[in-house]
Amino acid sequence: MQWAVKLDMALPRPIRVIFRGVGQVFFCGNAVTGLVFLVALYIGGITAGLAATVGVVTSTITAYLLGFSEDDIDAGLYGFNGTLVGPCLFLFLENTPLLWVYVVFAAILSSVVLAALIRILTPYKIPASTSPFVLTCWMFMVAVYSFDNLSHGPVLPPPGIPETLVSADLPVAAWVSAMTDETAELWYVALTKGIAEVMFADNVLVGILFLIGIAITSLRGAFMALCGTFVGVLVPVLLGASQNLIEMGLYAFNPVLTMMAIGWVFLKPSVGTAFLALIAGILTVVCQAGLANFLTPIGLPTLTFPFVLTMWMFLFAASVSKHWSSE
């Protein structure tokens, strides 16, 4: 939207860059959208909002001090991984004063990892996306086992052997039957939280605000995000996944990012790429389930790695296809 672009450019450069960094979590390089996202995070929880703020500011300043690309910094590309690092570590690790220092170190590393991956992946025209966030958080989560003054929180999955799901909590019919008040509420909660969980927010209002923020930048982007969360609910339901995980949006946030990346950002928008995004979104659900079981023995969450892995594979494949082209 033109008014958002004009307002973005009217902001002082440091503020614009910081807000763009938050917006880039959903591929939205617009400060207005980033501001909406950050406000939504504070609404979801003060700690999450502060952690995201510390992360985005630290990772952006690090990029400036280390002399990385000015264009990339201005676009907010060195801010979004730091934005994710903060809320993630506060979700999975015990909340202590020392954790704030830990978040700062992690945000610094996320910018260094991003710069390294840009160097590696640019010749292949493949984006690093949220992979620096994933790699950094995995490292910092595992590292706490060596430090007496830091510890994992109750949300971090304990190491163990993957178990077969005996049964889904609700039958498929409960989700796809005639629309009752109960069914409508199930879908409403799952769809909105699917978008909110991209930034680890278990909150319906946050998901709605995120979607509004995306729409400010691009209606197609918002449509792809909505399709992604729908895929992330319907496909696990049909496959018989746990209702609790579905309703919390934990199967949906990766397809949200995948469908936005393939159907809007990195391939030329068309009906064909929208269809390709749909296939990628569906496969992201399967990839997430597989990676979750793969990581269970070492007690690590998948984070956004299912999205990253699926996106990379589809973009590599698209580069050798006569039917798909990059923007």
Side-chain angles (χ1 to χ4, degrees):
M1 296 184 183
Q2 288 302 314
W3 66 267
V5 174
K6 291 179 180 178
L7 187 54
D8 169 277
M9 294 305 299
L11 291 172
R13 186 185 179 199
I15 296 176
R16 181 172 69 243
V17 170
I18 293 300
F19 286 159
R20 282 180 178 178
V22 180
Q24 286 287 3
V25 172
F26 284 97
F27 312 104
C28 298
N30 182 279
V32 177
T33 292
L35 175 59
V36 172
F37 291 167
L38 197 57
V39 169
L41 280 175
Y42 276 98
I43 291 174
I46 298 297
T47 300
L50 285 173
T53 302
V54 170
V56 67
V57 171
T58 301
S59 59
T60 302
I61 291 176
T62 298
Y64 272 118
L65 294 178
L66 295 181
F68 296 150
S69 167
E70 290 282 342
D71 289 341
D72 288 346
I73 295 171
D74 288 348
L77 297 183
Y78 278 97
F80 69 94
N81 281 286
T83 301
L84 290 170
V85 161
C88 177
L89 292 181
F90 268 90
L91 174 65
F92 290 108
L93 301 181
E94 185 180 359
N95 188 344
T96 64
L98 186 59
L99 186 54
W100 289 102
V101 179
Y102 209 54
V103 166
V104 169
F105 288 153
I108 291 171
L109 180 61
S110 73
S111 285
V112 175
V113 174
L114 175 57
L117 287 175
I118 288 175
R119 175 75 173 181
I120 294 169
L121 296 173
T122 295
Y124 305 102
K125 298 181 179 179
I126 300 296
S129 195
T130 59
S131 58
F133 146 69
V134 173
L135 295 175
T136 298
C137 283
W138 278 350
M139 181 185 299
F140 274 65
M141 286 179 198
V142 173
V144 299
Y145 292 103
S146 296
F147 305 137
D148 286 338
N149 294 329
L150 290 163
S151 61
H152 63 82
V155 178
L156 191 65
I161 304 299
E163 296 181 1
T164 301
L165 186 66
V166 177
S167 64
D169 302 295
L170 281 181
V172 174
W175 288 84
V176 298
S177 60
M179 192 60 69
T180 62
D181 289 344
E182 183 179 352
T183 306
E185 183 178 357
L186 278 174
W187 278 94
Y188 171 70
V189 170
L191 291 174
T192 52
K193 285 188 177 182
I195 299 175
E197 285 289 355
V198 171
M199 292 199 209
F200 309 100
D202 184 29
N203 187 292
V204 168
L205 178 58
V206 172
I208 294 172
L209 290 174
F210 282 175
L211 190 61
I212 292 172
I214 298 167
I216 289 173
T217 296
S218 169
L219 291 177
R220 182 182 176 95
F223 176 71
M224 283 295 152
L226 194 57
C227 290
T229 193
F230 182 79
V231 166
V233 174
L234 181 61
V235 173
V237 165
L238 295 177
L239 294 177
S242 166
Q243 178 208 343
N244 289 335
L245 296 181
I246 297 170
E247 194 171 355
M248 290 173 65
L250 298 181
Y251 270 108
F253 69 92
N254 276 293
V256 166
L257 293 174
T258 300
M259 291 198 65
M260 291 181 72
I262 302 298
W264 170 48
V265 181
F266 297 116
L267 297 180
K268 185 178 180 180
S270 67
V271 174
T273 50
F275 176 74
L276 190 66
L278 176 61
I279 300 301
I282 292 171
L283 294 177
T284 300
V285 174
V286 179
C287 180
Q288 180 167 339
L291 285 171
N293 289 328
F294 181 79
L295 293 170
T296 294
I298 54 177
L300 285 177
T302 62
L303 303 180
T304 59
F305 193 57
F307 145 66
V308 171
L309 188 59
T310 305
M311 177 193 66
W312 280 351
M313 294 304 102
F314 270 77
L315 292 182
F316 273 121
S319 68
V320 296
S321 170
K322 63 181 180 181
H323 298 298
W324 318 111
S325 60
S326 59
E327 239 184 323

